[in-house]
Amino acid sequence: ANRGEIACRVMKTCRKMGIKTVAVHSDVDANAVHVKMADEAVCVGPAPTNRSYLNMDAIMDAIRITGAQAVHPGYGFLSENKEFAKRLAAEDVVFVGPDTHAIHAMGDKIESKLLAKAAKVNVIPGFDGVVEVSYPVMIKASAGGGGKGMRIAWNDDETREGFRLSSQEAASSFGDDRLLIEKFVDNPRHIEIQVLADKHGNALWLNERECSIQRRNQKVVEEAPSTFLDPDTRRAMGEQAVQLAKAVKYSSAGTVEFLVDSKKNFYFLEMNTRLQVEHPITECITGLDLVQQMIRIAKGFPLVHRQEDIPINGWAIESRVYAEDPYKSFGLPSIGRLSQYQEPISLPNVRVDSGIQEGSDISIYYDPMISKLVTYGATRAEALQKMEDALDHYVIRGVTHNIPLLREIITNPRFISGDITTNFLPEEYPEGFTGHRLTPEGRRELLATAAALYISAQLRSQRFMGNLRVSTTSQEQSQWELQVELEKKSHLVSLSRSGSSFTVEVDGGSVEVSGEWNLASALLPLSINGNPRVLQCLSRDATGQITLQYLGTQFKLRVLSRLAAKLTGHMPEKVPEDTSSILRSPMPGSVVAVSVKPGDMVAEGQEICVIEAMKMQNSLIAARAAKVKSVHCKAGETVGEGDLLVELE
């Protein structure tokens, strides 16, 4: 009862176990990968989730039509909905997950903390009864998850604002607008324990996952094990997680999330009564197939493993690859069609869990995840190196993606040292993410590559079926003088070529670049000064504009002959528009509310409208104090990225 990556993941295991599968889908998902992968497929309604993937009546009908005996809910959607589990039980259909009482007990963040307290699990102060805590506080949707309906407030005004936005988000995502407030543990790590319990009273903990790298309370990079835990803390956390699972008679796979402070004190955060997005890293280090275990447990089999059988073999890292623009508050959703798409699965020890393929559409209706990229190594350093290679070999065209951010995180010295907290991104990039910062050596490498690529393309154009087009030309040229523009600066470049390698003189240094220069391939594997590098040429045009993906980040360059460079001085320049007096939509979505009308005076920072995209509400504010000239949108309308919403005088 799900879509995308997780539906495909469950089907893979079912196929391995010889179990037939049924996909449900909305009408826009009719050609989705999970639909093609299943043995049967049933359409359960139109695109909006509340009319398709959350539409219990339609899903129950699909179960009756196909005669399905069990339902795996994946994560999100109906995975933690006790009503759905009850309806399945009433029709004797097995829910691959825990019993309804465990979903109910753990799904309510207030009740779950009271139960945890009773089961002797460490809890955060301030959630039960009348709350008297000092700021900062965390406002949370009681029924929530996935970062939706969560806000941190540092004062009374932020608490009021957070209360309003969180309760709206909670109502639209979970149909339940109750909130709770608790003390916000500053600078924590977010570490979770995977548990597995059967219907015979056995329960195991399968080590931890470190999930501290987050943006807007959603995880970006996860790893297992954590660099921070020692065996004693790990055991204490694992045992408390199992105590809690036994206290609610839990059966199936579940995850107990903890906040861990700098002194290794840990506090129960919540229990997710479902399979987590990041389960593959646990599978890598333990060798267990968690979906298979869930299906066996649901069928009533006891666990075959004992606690001492659970190993930590090697190290695994997962990067969540999203269709989002990482330069806008670490990731605002982007939509489009994947015009070109290649996963780096030819590399050893790389696993990609995805639910899309070349030609798939990323729509505004669902989560913008493209895939989960997992790498595995004997040591953390090896897993990180593999992740770097995998990100460089990952080809995604047609949508904006967050590979620049992922590549910067895993090569960040602070991340490599393991010194991370949930504030990692805002602390490392206080001004927001700006992409890879070029070192002088890196800049020379990039300029040299662009120049060599430009010449390779020129040399290729001179030939037709292996022969020079103009036979009267004397020998091919082997030396060139060019000018390359990068980040508004011009650099003089001299190249000389022998065979497939170029020697490039630029910025007072010499760079050797060699490779096959296959201009039709999406990847450009090169050797730069003897080091292997994989770049991607994203676009080239006749005016010398070249866009290269280098070290994960896209750079726009312009290569010109010396003559063309001299003449560009005579070209008029385009004047950029004044963005302080117009408000454009930063992403595609629907307008929830418009708070101003023409003629109103607005103050700097005042809310102008609220846009909902991918189930998150975003408040747009005035950049300066001004009078509203015109309003171009109204509540309920769908807007695209860059659409004009409001003009100020």
Side-chain angles (χ1 to χ4, degrees):
N2 214 302
R3 66 180 295 281
E5 168 280 307
I6 192 64
C8 297
R9 166 71 191 89
V10 174
M11 287 171 197
K12 279 181 189 146
T13 289
C14 288
R15 188 175 287 170
K16 197 168 77 178
M17 296 171 78
I19 299 171
K20 287 263 184 1
T21 56
V22 178
V24 292
H25 64 90
S26 65
D27 54 12
V28 291
D29 270 346
N31 293 322
V33 177
H34 78 279
V35 174
K36 296 176 188 165
M37 207 175 194
D39 296 289
E40 292 177 71
V42 180
C43 180
V44 287
T49 47
N50 56 349
R51 294 168 62 194
S52 53
Y53 295 104
L54 291 171
N55 181 347
M56 282 191 234
D57 294 339
I59 292 173
M60 295 306 297
D61 285 344
I63 293 165
R64 286 181 209 111
I65 297 163
T66 56
Q69 299 161 291
V71 172
H72 195 302
Y75 52 71
F77 295 138
L78 297 169
S79 61
E80 300 184 81
N81 187 310
K82 54 182 186 292
E83 210 41 56
F84 183 54
K86 273 201 190 101
R87 287 179 70 166
L88 291 173
E91 305 218 2
D92 281 334
V93 176
V94 175
F95 178 73
V96 182
D99 295 337
T100 44
H101 69 264
I103 298 177
H104 173 79
M106 290 295 119
D108 188 307
K109 294 194 177 170
I110 299 171
E111 196 175 326
S112 65
K113 297 219 158 129
L114 293 169
L115 276 162
K117 208 169 173 178
K120 307 228 180 333
V121 176
N122 309 350
V123 292
I124 297 177
F127 66 90
D128 49 343
V130 177
V131 183
E132 277 199 20
V133 289
S134 53
Y135 284 112
V137 295
M138 174 74 100
I139 302 165
K140 286 183 187 171
S142 185
K148 298 182 172 62
M150 283 169 96
R151 295 282 186 287
I152 297 164
W154 296 80
N155 56 40
D156 289 359
D157 288 345
E158 286 184 14
T159 305
R160 285 189 194 95
E161 162 93 336
F163 186 85
R164 179 174 68 92
L165 290 171
S166 289
S167 55
Q168 283 170 6
E169 259 173 37
S172 82
S173 289
F174 315 109
D176 178 345
D177 61 1
R178 291 172 309 139
L179 300 175
L180 77 128
I181 287 188
E182 67 188 11
K183 176 85 181 120
F184 174 61
V185 179
D186 217 8
N187 263 332
R189 281 173 182 256
H190 180 129
I191 299 179
E192 59 194 29
I193 301 281
Q194 174 72 54
V195 293
L196 203 53
D198 63 19
K199 296 182 171 167
H200 307 274
N202 307 310
L204 303 169
W205 47 275
L206 311 182
N207 306 315
E208 78 281 7
R209 292 187 290 260
E210 166 75 75
C211 305
S212 298
I213 306 284
Q214 306 183 352
R215 53 114 182 79
R216 299 197 305 274
N217 297 311
Q218 285 177 313
K219 301 160 190 166
V220 186
V221 175
E222 304 103 351
E223 58 182 312
S226 164
T227 53
F228 190 59
L229 296 191
D230 51 74
D232 292 345
T233 313
R234 177 176 297 122
R235 187 178 309 106
M237 289 171 77
E239 283 167 0
Q240 285 199 13
V242 164
Q243 267 159 252
L244 181 62
K246 287 184 170 168
V248 291
K249 300 195 172 49
Y250 194 85
S251 67
S252 190
T255 295
V256 181
E257 300 193 346
F258 291 98
L259 282 183
V260 185
D261 70 15
S262 50
K263 300 180 185 61
K264 292 191 188 173
N265 298 315
F266 56 92
Y267 304 101
F268 169 73
L269 190 58
E270 61 183 329
M271 180 168 191
N272 294 314
T273 56
R274 55 174 165 82
L275 191 63
Q276 294 272 90
V277 177
E278 57 276 14
H279 72 273
I281 53 179
T282 296
E283 296 184 327
C284 287
I285 65 164
T286 59
L288 291 177
D289 177 334
L290 290 178
V291 176
Q292 184 183 8
Q293 296 293 328
M294 288 177 85
I295 295 172
R296 283 179 49 90
I297 291 165
K299 177 78 177 144
F301 290 121
L303 290 172
V304 289
H305 299 88
R306 298 187 311 279
Q307 189 61 54
E308 56 269 24
D309 301 336
I310 305 298
I312 298 188
N313 284 332
W315 212 284
I317 296 170
E318 170 180 286
S319 293
R320 296 195 189 185
V321 182
Y322 277 101
E324 3 177 83
D325 184 345
Y327 300 99
K328 295 181 180 172
S329 62
F330 299 116
L332 287 185
S334 145
I335 59 170
R337 173 166 294 166
L338 290 162
S339 53
Q340 200 175 1
Y341 182 73
Q342 285 173 30
E343 295 175 349
I345 41 186
S346 56
L347 304 175
N349 288 357
V350 171
R351 165 176 169 177
V352 182
D353 283 23
S354 69
I356 47 141
Q357 65 200 106
E358 203 162 276
S360 292
D361 281 304
I362 306 279
S363 77
I364 62 170
Y365 300 106
Y366 312 115
D367 190 63
M369 185 189 279
I370 294 174
S371 75
K372 302 180 315 203
L373 176 62
V374 182
T375 57
Y376 174 74
T379 60
R380 185 168 184 260
E382 191 184 319
L384 282 170
Q385 184 54 54
K386 289 211 161 79
M387 180 61 77
E388 218 175 300
D389 294 344
L391 288 167
D392 284 341
H393 282 84
Y394 207 144
V395 179
I396 304 170
R397 310 281 162 85
V399 296
T400 312
H401 54 76
N402 67 337
I403 283 180
L405 176 64
L406 296 171
R407 182 100 174 37
E408 281 301 287
I409 293 171
I410 59 144
T411 51
N412 182 303
R414 183 177 149 196
F415 178 76
I416 292 169
S417 73
D419 166 29
I420 54 176
T421 70
T422 52
N423 298 337
F424 177 85
L425 287 174
E427 283 170 4
E428 287 297 297
Y429 309 102
E431 302 294 305
F433 178 68
T434 53
H436 179 73
R437 295 272 171 85
L438 289 170
T439 59
E441 187 188 355
R443 184 173 292 108
R444 280 199 295 272
E445 283 191 12
L446 184 57
L447 293 166
T449 304
L453 186 67
Y454 174 81
I455 295 298
S456 300
Q458 247 189 3
L459 292 173
R460 187 178 73 162
S461 317
Q462 288 171 9
R463 293 184 164 271
F464 178 67
M465 295 181 76
N467 299 315
L468 286 174
R469 285 169 188 265
V470 184
S471 54
T472 53
T473 355
S474 56
Q475 264 322 103
E476 277 187 283
Q477 198 178 340
S478 63
Q479 287 190 316
W480 296 266
E481 301 285 315
L482 300 172
Q483 180 171 320
V484 186
E485 291 169 15
L486 168 66
E487 292 169 344
K488 302 200 174 98
K489 285 201 189 75
S490 292
H491 305 262
L492 295 178
V493 175
S494 327
L495 291 87
S496 58
R497 175 178 88 106
S498 74
S500 62
S501 57
F502 291 88
T503 305
V504 187
E505 303 290 332
V506 55
D507 288 358
S510 175
V511 183
E512 288 279 339
V513 192
S514 62
E516 288 189 5
W517 305 106
N518 178 349
L519 303 174
S521 158
L523 298 171
L524 198 58
L526 300 173
S527 160
I528 305 183
N529 286 341
N531 300 317
R533 285 241 188 269
V534 176
L535 281 79
Q536 295 184 31
C537 177
L538 306 180
S539 67
R540 281 186 300 125
D541 69 12
T543 62
Q545 308 270 6
I546 297 181
T547 308
L548 287 176
Q549 183 174 311
Y550 170 70
L551 303 179
T553 296
Q554 299 182 9
F555 292 96
K556 286 189 167 65
L557 300 103
R558 189 162 177 213
V559 186
L560 300 167
S561 66
R562 294 279 164 99
L563 174 64
K566 215 153 87 189
L567 297 173
T568 47
H570 303 292
M571 300 292 279
E573 238 176 76
K574 191 177 162 193
V575 184
E577 66 181 357
D578 172 21
T579 49
S580 67
S581 53
I582 48 173
L583 184 68
R584 290 187 182 276
S585 175
M587 70 204 115
S590 59
V591 181
V592 180
V594 181
S595 328
V596 296
K597 56 186 188 302
D600 287 2
M601 291 303 295
V602 290
E604 182 182 340
Q606 183 178 333
E607 180 180 293
I608 291 183
C609 60
V610 177
I611 294 210
E612 183 172 310
M614 315 266 183
K615 302 190 203 137
M616 299 289 274
Q617 302 223 351
N618 302 278
S619 163
L620 303 182
I621 57 172
R624 59 185 176 84
K627 188 174 178 183
V628 178
K629 185 171 160 188
S630 58
V631 176
H632 298 269
C633 62
K634 52 180 188 287
E637 278 184 353
T638 303
V639 292
E641 182 178 351
D643 285 8
L644 185 61
L645 303 176
V646 175
E647 283 186 88
L648 304 175
E649 284 185 1

